[in-house]
Amino acid sequence: MPRYLASDRVALIGALVLPFLVALALVPFRSRLAETNEALILVVAIVLVAARGTRLAGALAAVSAAAWFDFFLTRPYQRFTITDPDDIQTAVLLLVVGLLVAQLAVRVRRLEVVTVTDADHLSRLHATARLAQRAGSPEAVVDHVRGDLTELLELRGCRFEYGSLLGRPPRLEHDGSVSVGRRAWDLERNGWPEGEIELRASGNGHYYGRFMLAPTPGSVPSVQARRVAATLADLTGSALDTALPGEG
């Protein structure tokens, strides 16, 4: 069997087995851990699978994690039934965040697990996904993410532009790199490029706008923080796509 097929088969098996084992290992602690913390631990299992497999493996891991979260960690236990509305919401958010970070991990195969195992990064992703589901308007998500990006990337300022692209400013890419025109920019060596940096927000294949980042001179956030920033922009794009489907 070709090596890549064997690797994909292992990833698919892992997608089914790893979330099950992690959820089972959490059973003795379920009375002491908050459901959101249990869900975040399961997100790590999803990323471990997705970073080494295909999109199918990542999606399967997300579905598997949501199912075993329901079965082992929510009342009534050992049944695929959830009665608490908060648990239902957490399970849905686990699935949504799991699918999103799985897509990102597959897109960037060298994504380091620390990107999603950092507690602060995970909290930001979870809070934004929760807001995207609850918010009455996408503007609330945009404002929330603007604040998160300002803190996460240590920015002087951050604004959001709706609609068409104007000009070709430097861009923060989904893998955490920065490009200027068609050239890769060595952020660690040279610092941020001059001017504002764009971070695009798209949902379901539609472009809805971009965050314009004003970096603080001399400050270079970690590649993990930059990748989480790109994921937050994706969540914004998804919220805009839900509210304005197909208009981007």
Side-chain angles (χ1 to χ4, degrees), residues 53-67:
T54 62
R55 283 182 171 80
L56 176 60
L60 185 59
V63 173
S64 176

Side-chain angles (χ1 to χ4, degrees), residues 3-247:
R3 182 178 299 178
Y4 71 90
L5 289 178
S7 175
D8 287 349
R9 177 171 291 184
V10 170
L12 288 172
I13 294 172
L16 294 172
V17 174
L18 186 59
F20 167 79
L21 294 176
V22 171
L24 188 62
L26 289 172
V27 168
F29 310 100
R30 63 192 177 192
S31 61
R32 285 173 283 173
L33 282 175
E35 286 81 1
T36 51
N37 290 333
E38 295 167 343
L40 293 177
I41 293 170
L42 284 165
V43 169
V44 176
I46 296 168
V47 174
L48 286 171
V49 172
R52 290 161 177 77
T54 62
R55 283 182 171 80
L56 176 60
L60 185 59
V63 173
S64 176
W68 295 122
F69 172 79
D70 172 9
F71 189 79
F72 286 118
L73 304 176
T74 65
R75 291 185 174 86
Y77 298 129
Q78 280 76 61
R79 291 177 58 189
F80 288 110
T81 304
I82 306 179
T83 56
D84 189 318
D86 288 339
D87 288 344
I88 294 172
Q89 186 174 71
T90 300
V92 172
L93 290 172
L94 169 61
L95 180 60
V96 171
V97 173
L99 288 170
L100 184 60
V101 297
Q103 289 289 324
L104 180 62
V106 171
R107 187 184 303 164
V108 188
R109 281 297 182 91
R110 294 189 298 274
L111 178 68
E112 298 175 14
V113 174
V114 68
T115 301
V116 290
T117 57
D118 182 280
D120 179 63
H121 293 171
L122 283 169
S123 319
R124 291 183 189 277
L125 291 172
H126 189 270
T128 302
R130 181 184 291 270
L131 180 62
Q133 186 185 53
R134 286 181 170 180
S137 70
E139 286 76 14
V141 180
V142 170
D143 288 342
H144 175 82
V145 171
R146 281 179 55 249
D148 266 356
L149 292 176
T150 300
E151 293 180 8
L152 187 64
L153 302 178
E154 302 175 14
L155 304 174
R156 289 185 294 111
C158 178
R159 59 191 178 85
F160 189 79
E161 289 184 350
Y162 289 89
S164 303
L165 295 169
L166 294 174
R168 296 188 63 187
R171 183 190 308 169
L172 177 58
E173 307 286 359
H174 280 84
D175 62 356
S177 66
V178 173
S179 60
V180 178
R182 296 184 177 180
R183 297 183 296 108
W185 180 267
D186 191 338
L187 186 60
E188 278 69 26
R189 176 178 293 182
N190 302 323
W192 289 103
E194 291 293 327
E196 291 182 308
I197 315 297
E198 73 169 8
L199 174 58
R200 297 184 179 185
S202 301
N204 197 28
H206 298 110
Y207 169 77
Y208 288 98
R210 60 186 177 180
F211 291 96
M212 300 301 295
L213 317 176
T216 300
S219 175
V220 178
S222 69
V223 65
Q224 292 86 8
R226 301 195 307 263
R227 288 169 177 166
V228 171
T231 307
L232 291 170
D234 280 343
L235 283 168
T236 305
S238 297
L240 288 166
D241 184 67
T242 299
L244 309 166
E247 292 187 14

